[in-house]
Amino acid sequence: MNLPSSPPPSGALSPDAERPRAAIHALGCRLNLAEADAIAQSLRAQGYRMVPWGQEAEVFVLNSCTVTGPSGAKTRQALSAIRRRWPQARLAVVGCHAQVESAELAGLADLVIGTEEKMNVAAHLANLPPHSPPKIIRPAVRRGPFQQSFGALGGHTRHHLKVQDGCDFMCSFCVIPLARGRARPRLLDNLLEEARQAAQAGARELVVTGVNVGTWEENGKNFLDLIDALNAIDGPERIRVGSIEFTTVGEGLLSRMADPAHKLVPFLHLPLQSGSETVLAEMNRRYTPQAYHRFAQSALARVNDLCLGADVMTGFPGETEERFLETLAFLESLPFAYLHVFPYSPRKGTPAARREDQVPPALRQARAARLRALDEQKRLAYQRRFLGRVLPVLLESSSNPGRVGGYTPHYVRVEVNLSEENPLGLANPLANTIVPLRLMSTGLPAMAGARVEEANKPESQVQT
């Protein structure tokens, strides 16, 4: 297999048909997606032609996740499926699961690259001899500020911008400090340059991602300074913080969300994990349910129509039925717009995994199902507040022929029928545009919207 060892000279790029193909896939969080985009750009710079995951290619790169047991299983399953279908392809697994389970993955991939070197996978592929045995590259994760390489950007309506990595909070259930290391910021100039290039390439929304983004500090500047610097960039109309610990949210962040002149949208994803004070203490979380509740109420009062979301874990060791019901009651007491529900999954190397009072898996799943039912109720209730209103929707893609979908500033998914001039969506003129839509009916996963002129016709009705 002829793999490129260096970028082709300018002006001498081989035709697409002669360039080796590469595919990349990210499991897990938004941060993994942002990293996969950067890796794809580095592969292009090495002369690869990127193709969708699942199509034939000479190289496959999987950015792995290890936050739960099922995510580790998905990593192994994805690698095995590619190996069975294309046994001659070069296969690299990088990232979190590669960091904590490198020996396990060595039998499934040619390259196993941990956290510190994963962004250099293109160079490691170029230096991998033909028919070599599996190679594990897993140096210790360095401390201190970092910068990240990125190539020519484009093709994304919403650009995920990695601003930080690692975490110092050391929750008793969490393997991320082992997988990604301690908290460290990305250099401001480096991340702003990526944001500017993404804007020039057409990105309409910047999604700020990291492991614990609110802890970002670099050269005397804090997270609010970072948000304001992104706000000053020409092009994107929206800035969204993907997820943030409420203990790191200052009043200034809420005032920016409430300011219609600021690009920061009214969206807060605040990890909760449990509504039981006892369970939170045993998780080594840094707050009580009462403190979370007070902050959430303050944020909801200050920011109109705030989209408040949360991560919730059930089945943590020692979670009795009484403690689970405390979580359920807590979730019912606040107008969450959605919940991300996870059954607890023991992770090797964490204090919680060593506890003897593990909740049986079947009970974890049953409790998770009850929380997911509440999640559906919360999503529909939040949607109902927008029925009949006209909101700006950033349209991205079509999930069905003849329809296109996107998000309001509050992260409500809306789908709309395309115009009669474009019934099959073959050339969607609305993609990557912000369009005012009247929200006509609720539904999962998306509300139905209508162009304002269509919604005003006598036969159009809002469904309550």
Side-chain angles (χ1 to χ4, degrees):
M1 185 186 308
N2 295 320
L3 300 181
S5 59
S6 60
S10 178
L13 194 64
S14 303
D16 274 354
E18 298 179 12
R19 295 167 64 196
R21 295 158 294 185
I24 187 165
H25 182 56
L27 297 172
C29 63
R30 289 186 177 96
L31 179 55
N32 270 8
L33 292 173
E35 292 170 344
D37 284 344
I39 292 171
Q41 297 301 337
S42 69
L43 289 167
R44 288 190 181 94
Q46 287 281 0
Y48 289 96
R49 172 166 54 100
M50 300 306 297
V51 298
W53 186 264
Q55 289 189 11
E56 185 175 8
E58 283 68 50
V59 164
F60 291 89
V61 179
L62 181 68
N63 195 12
S64 64
C65 177
T66 197
V67 70
T68 65
S71 62
K74 289 178 182 177
T75 295
R76 296 188 297 273
Q77 291 163 3
L79 294 172
S80 297
I82 293 296
R83 181 63 84 207
R84 285 194 304 270
R85 191 169 182 187
W86 291 290
Q88 301 305 313
R90 287 289 178 87
L91 186 50
V93 56
V94 306
C96 293
H97 203 61
Q99 180 73 20
V100 300
E101 297 289 356
S102 56
E104 167 195 298
L105 298 177
L108 298 172
D110 302 292
L111 269 176
V112 180
I113 305 178
T115 299
E116 183 65 25
E117 282 294 308
K118 66 184 167 187
M119 304 310 294
N120 298 322
V121 61
H124 289 299
L125 281 165
N127 294 325
L128 188 66
H131 311 297
S132 62
K135 186 175 183 181
I136 297 175
I137 302 170
R138 200 188 63 163
V141 180
R142 286 175 289 190
R143 298 293 300 269
F146 67 95
Q147 59 183 1
Q148 182 169 297
S149 300
F150 53 91
L153 303 175
H156 292 295
T157 296
R158 301 168 63 239
H159 181 78
H160 291 84
L161 182 68
K162 176 180 176 180
V163 305
Q164 179 270 347
D165 207 343
C167 185
D168 293 337
F169 280 14
M170 309 305 288
C171 299
S172 66
F173 59 84
C174 186
V175 74
I176 293 304
L178 300 176
R180 286 185 173 268
R182 306 302 288 268
R184 55 202 183 280
R186 184 174 174 186
L187 295 173
L188 181 61
D189 289 345
N190 177 246
L191 69 87
L192 289 180
E193 181 57 30
E194 180 180 334
R196 283 189 286 268
Q197 290 197 24
Q200 292 168 6
R204 309 296 295 274
E205 181 176 308
L206 298 174
V207 183
V208 176
T209 66
V211 177
N212 195 345
V213 296
T215 63
W216 184 93
E217 287 185 351
E218 196 263 313
N219 198 25
K221 297 186 180 297
N222 61 25
F223 188 65
L224 285 178
D225 297 319
L226 165 60
I227 294 298
D228 287 341
L230 293 174
N231 187 66
I233 293 175
D234 290 333
E237 287 90 343
R238 297 177 180 176
I239 301 167
R240 188 179 307 277
V241 178
S243 176
I244 188 168
E245 295 284 344
F246 92 87
T247 55
T248 67
V249 177
E251 290 297 312
L253 197 69
L254 298 178
S255 65
R256 285 156 176 79
M257 285 185 185
D259 182 359
H262 203 285
K263 297 175 183 177
L264 190 64
V265 295
F267 173 89
L268 269 180
H269 182 96
L270 305 177
L272 169 66
Q273 308 309 351
S274 177
S276 164
E277 185 169 2
T278 300
V279 173
L280 284 178
E282 293 179 353
M283 287 178 166
N284 200 30
R285 300 290 287 174
R286 300 185 174 196
Y287 52 85
T288 62
Q290 295 79 13
Y292 186 107
H293 198 282
R294 286 193 298 270
F295 178 84
Q297 290 282 37
S298 174
L300 290 162
R302 294 189 58 180
V303 183
N304 290 335
D305 294 326
L306 176 67
C307 178
L308 177 65
D311 295 327
V312 188
M313 179 187 297
T314 187
F316 182 81
E319 183 190 64
T320 62
E321 184 67 13
E322 179 183 3
R323 293 171 184 174
F324 170 72
L325 292 177
E326 289 174 356
T327 294
L328 194 61
F330 182 90
L331 296 172
E332 290 171 340
S333 73
L334 284 170
F336 287 102
Y338 67 88
L339 305 170
H340 284 171
V341 178
F342 302 91
Y344 167 75
S345 182
R347 307 310 295 139
K348 185 171 65 176
T350 63
R354 296 191 290 269
R355 291 180 54 160
E356 296 182 356
D357 53 351
Q358 301 290 324
V359 176
L363 185 53
R364 293 180 221 158
Q365 294 293 341
R367 289 174 177 171
R370 293 171 68 180
L371 295 183
R372 290 189 181 110
L374 179 61
D375 164 57
E376 290 193 5
Q377 298 172 25
K378 295 282 188 181
R379 289 174 188 264
L380 292 171
Y382 186 66
Q383 287 181 1
R384 282 194 287 272
R385 74 169 63 189
F386 299 110
L387 280 172
R389 290 168 58 178
V390 175
L391 294 177
V393 178
L394 175 54
L395 296 172
E396 298 179 317
S397 60
S398 179
S399 58
N400 299 298
R403 292 178 68 81
V404 65
Y407 290 90
T408 71
H410 324 82
Y411 207 61
V412 173
R413 176 79 180 178
V414 183
E415 292 191 351
V416 63
N417 289 324
L418 293 169
S419 64
E420 293 182 1
E421 303 84 58
N422 186 29
L424 299 179
L426 298 177
N428 178 14
L430 300 180
N432 204 34
T433 61
I434 296 179
V435 177
L437 298 178
R438 191 176 301 279
L439 277 57
M440 305 296 288
S441 64
T442 62
L444 298 175
M447 297 188 74
R451 302 290 294 273
V452 175
E453 59 270 22
E454 295 293 322
N456 290 337
K457 290 181 179 179
E459 64 272 18
S460 298
Q461 287 187 329
V462 172
Q463 298 179 19
T464 58

